[in-house]
Amino acid sequence: MKNFFRYLQGYLKIRVWGYSPERFMNLCSNRGILLWDITRREEDYLMYISLSGFFRLRPVVRKTGTRVLVLERCGLPFLLRRMQKRKVFVMGFPACLAFLLIMSRFIWAIDLEGNRAVTDDMLMDFLAENGVEYGTARNRIDMEQLEENLRETFDEITWASVTIDGTRLTVNIRENDLVMTEEEKEEVLEEYPASDLLATQDGTVISILTRQGVPQVTAGMEVKKGDILVSGAVPVFADDGSIKEYQFCHADADVVIAYELSFEEELALNYEYKNYTGREKKDFFLSFGGRRFVFRLGGCRFLKYDTVTDARQLKVLGQIYLPFFYGFEVKREYFEVEAVYQKEKAEEILEERLEKKIEGLYDLGVQIKQKNVTINTVDGLAVLNAAFDVEGKTGQPRPLSEQQPALEGET
């Protein structure tokens, strides 16, 4: 706090030398002139003094026979004096702040998360139809209505969340694929008060260990994808054996089922690949408000090339995105080369793809009990067919509806 007030009042860094610097400091103390951060050197002293104290030094300097030299000027008074000489900066700084304040009231970045079947283009078109584009005012966006429209427009979407952080709008959706990630499962458990546990594929129940909820299947039963394995509605019975009410919870169990998996992969024996020459041409560009200005130095003489865009968006303070983009358009020259896979090479490529599939199953905790793999050549294609008999855990939460199941005797 002392440093802040010193900055407001202004202070100096001075060098003191001469006949009696020690007496100089004693007289300053007696007269209430504050000195701090005093550093002694071989022939002089370095110290700081307030601006008001400096103007009271003349009699002290004469009396002690010392000399004083100003080394640095610090504080707000000196900053304001320097500002007066830079009128353009003085006018531009508040104008820049005003510009940032105005720009922060609009959306300049849109992120899409969780979508697979619903493409980015489909979501961007949907947002545009609902009045959400780059440059849309933040206060004009009804996030709850937008979430509801997403669920109504796309049958694939079962859950949607729209959030605004600074000038960035994030659309996070979940599609009706019964296979959820662990993070998605945790989100369901946190957001909803109760849930059932559903099967994620067809199969035969091997074992079930229920920790919470009411099991709906037993070992040996056949289940279909989407069937309820464990219910989150727990009945409470009355003395006469009838169901008095339901208590709701998050169904939780370890359910292992046996099921079949099939995998098919095709590879064309005749193919073309791009042989890149290593030659590139870079063009700098600026983009604002949907318009792109490319600064090209000469034309591109490549017959065939790929264009890769490296674009960056200007942002302030890590959250305020501005409608300015810059970067490079990189053109990479290539020639198309025709080639033919030998049978051994084609089988090797297909087997590598199969190994990646198997590794993915192991990562999910699936045990492969039996597999049957064949590779055949048909009409210029190498075709791999694989059938697996596997065992693995199944079950994912589905939020329970707010309406509880009907009690006995109710319709």
Side-chain angles (χ1 to χ4, degrees):
M1 186 61 70
K2 289 182 179 179
N3 293 335
F4 176 72
F5 285 111
R6 289 171 181 170
Y7 182 84
L8 292 180
Q9 296 172 359
Y11 60 94
L12 304 168
K13 182 178 182 181
I14 61 175
R15 174 188 173 215
V16 179
W17 76 99
Y19 177 70
S20 181
E22 293 80 5
R23 188 184 178 198
F24 167 86
M25 290 182 281
N26 289 333
L27 287 178
C28 286
S29 176
N30 294 335
R31 299 189 180 199
I33 300 175
L34 180 63
L35 305 174
W36 70 91
D37 290 349
I38 301 173
T39 303
R40 181 174 182 176
R41 302 197 301 187
E42 293 182 359
E43 298 180 354
D44 56 16
Y45 286 84
L46 300 180
M47 63 194 71
Y48 290 91
I49 185 172
S50 65
L51 188 60
S52 60
F54 179 78
F55 292 118
R56 297 163 54 194
L57 283 183
R58 186 180 298 272
V60 177
V61 171
R62 289 178 178 176
K63 193 170 185 177
T64 58
T66 54
R67 301 182 65 183
V68 176
L69 176 66
V70 176
L71 300 178
E72 295 180 13
R73 296 172 174 84
C74 310
L76 185 60
F78 301 104
L79 177 63
L80 294 177
R81 183 175 299 177
R82 290 194 295 269
M83 289 293 186
Q84 292 176 355
K85 300 179 182 179
R86 296 174 173 86
K87 295 182 180 180
V88 175
F89 178 81
V90 173
M91 298 173 61
F93 184 72
C96 181
L97 290 179
F99 174 77
L100 293 178
L101 181 62
I102 294 173
M103 289 295 101
S104 66
R105 301 172 67 87
F106 299 88
I107 296 297
W108 299 115
I110 298 177
D111 280 351
L112 307 175
E113 299 177 358
N115 58 308
R116 293 184 293 273
V118 182
T119 65
D120 289 355
D121 291 338
M122 294 169 64
L123 286 176
M124 293 301 292
D125 291 341
F126 166 83
L127 293 175
E129 292 172 0
N130 285 264
V132 179
E133 299 178 284
Y134 294 109
T136 302
R138 294 173 44 177
N139 57 8
R140 293 180 55 189
I141 300 176
D142 187 343
M143 291 185 287
E144 293 184 1
Q145 185 63 45
L146 200 60
E147 293 170 357
E148 183 178 346
N149 292 345
L150 276 168
R151 293 189 294 267
E152 292 178 354
T153 304
F154 300 99
D155 294 334
E156 299 89 344
I157 296 178
T158 58
W159 177 85
S161 172
V162 179
T163 58
I164 295 177
D165 184 13
T167 59
R168 178 190 292 270
L169 181 138
T170 301
V171 178
N172 192 347
I173 67 172
R174 182 178 304 124
E175 300 172 355
N176 60 358
D177 183 359
L178 284 178
V179 179
M180 288 185 182
T181 65
E182 291 300 323
E183 293 180 355
E184 291 173 335
K185 291 180 181 179
E186 292 178 0
E187 289 177 3
V188 172
L189 298 180
E190 291 177 359
E191 183 171 354
Y192 296 95
S195 61
D196 292 331
L197 196 65
L198 305 186
T200 56
Q201 61 272 317
D202 302 347
T204 303
V205 178
I206 301 298
S207 63
I208 177 170
L209 175 62
T210 305
R211 286 183 287 271
Q212 192 166 252
V214 181
Q216 304 295 305
V217 298
T218 57
M221 287 184 59
E222 299 287 336
V223 296
K224 298 291 185 181
K225 183 177 180 179
D227 287 350
I228 298 177
L229 301 175
V230 180
S231 173
V234 182
V236 178
F237 295 93
D239 294 337
D240 59 358
S242 62
I243 298 178
K244 179 180 178 182
E245 62 178 354
Y246 286 91
Q247 295 181 351
F248 297 93
C249 66
H250 287 296
D252 184 18
D254 289 335
V255 184
V256 179
I257 66 171
Y259 56 98
E260 295 180 354
L261 284 177
S262 60
F263 175 69
E264 183 178 16
E265 187 73 23
E266 295 181 352
L267 179 66
L269 297 178
N270 297 317
Y271 69 100
E272 292 182 350
Y273 70 92
K274 297 178 180 180
N275 184 20
Y276 290 93
T277 64
R279 295 203 301 169
E280 296 182 347
K281 183 178 184 303
K282 285 187 176 183
D283 297 318
F284 181 76
F285 74 87
L286 294 173
S287 178
F288 172 73
R291 289 189 172 186
R292 177 178 289 190
F293 304 92
V294 182
F295 302 90
R296 294 186 174 92
L297 298 177
C300 180
R301 298 182 180 180
F302 301 155
L303 295 177
K304 293 185 177 181
Y305 56 86
D306 286 336
T307 301
V308 180
T309 301
D310 180 14
R312 299 181 182 181
Q313 187 172 7
L314 188 64
K315 60 181 178 179
V316 180
L317 302 178
Q319 289 186 340
I320 303 177
Y321 287 79
L322 301 179
F324 296 98
F325 296 84
Y326 64 94
F328 291 93
E329 286 186 355
V330 183
K331 295 180 174 63
R332 299 175 179 174
E333 184 187 30
Y334 69 87
F335 295 101
E336 290 183 348
V337 180
E338 295 184 356
V340 178
Y341 284 121
Q342 297 298 321
K343 181 180 178 181
E344 294 78 8
K345 183 62 177 179
E347 292 179 353
E348 180 183 344
I349 293 175
L350 290 175
E351 288 173 355
E352 288 178 357
R353 296 179 183 178
L354 178 62
E355 287 299 322
K356 291 182 179 180
K357 179 69 175 180
I358 293 175
E359 289 176 4
L361 294 176
Y362 286 144
D363 291 340
L364 295 174
V366 176
Q367 296 182 5
I368 299 176
K369 296 299 183 181
Q370 186 176 355
K371 65 179 179 179
N372 183 22
V373 181
T374 60
I375 299 178
N376 300 307
T377 302
V378 181
D379 296 331
L381 296 175
V383 182
L384 180 146
N385 289 284
F388 304 96
D389 292 332
V390 302
E391 291 183 3
K393 290 185 179 181
T394 186
Q396 74 168 40
R398 181 189 66 181
L400 273 172
S401 61
E402 296 181 358
Q403 181 179 4
Q404 70 178 33
L407 302 178
E408 292 183 2
E410 294 184 357
T411 58

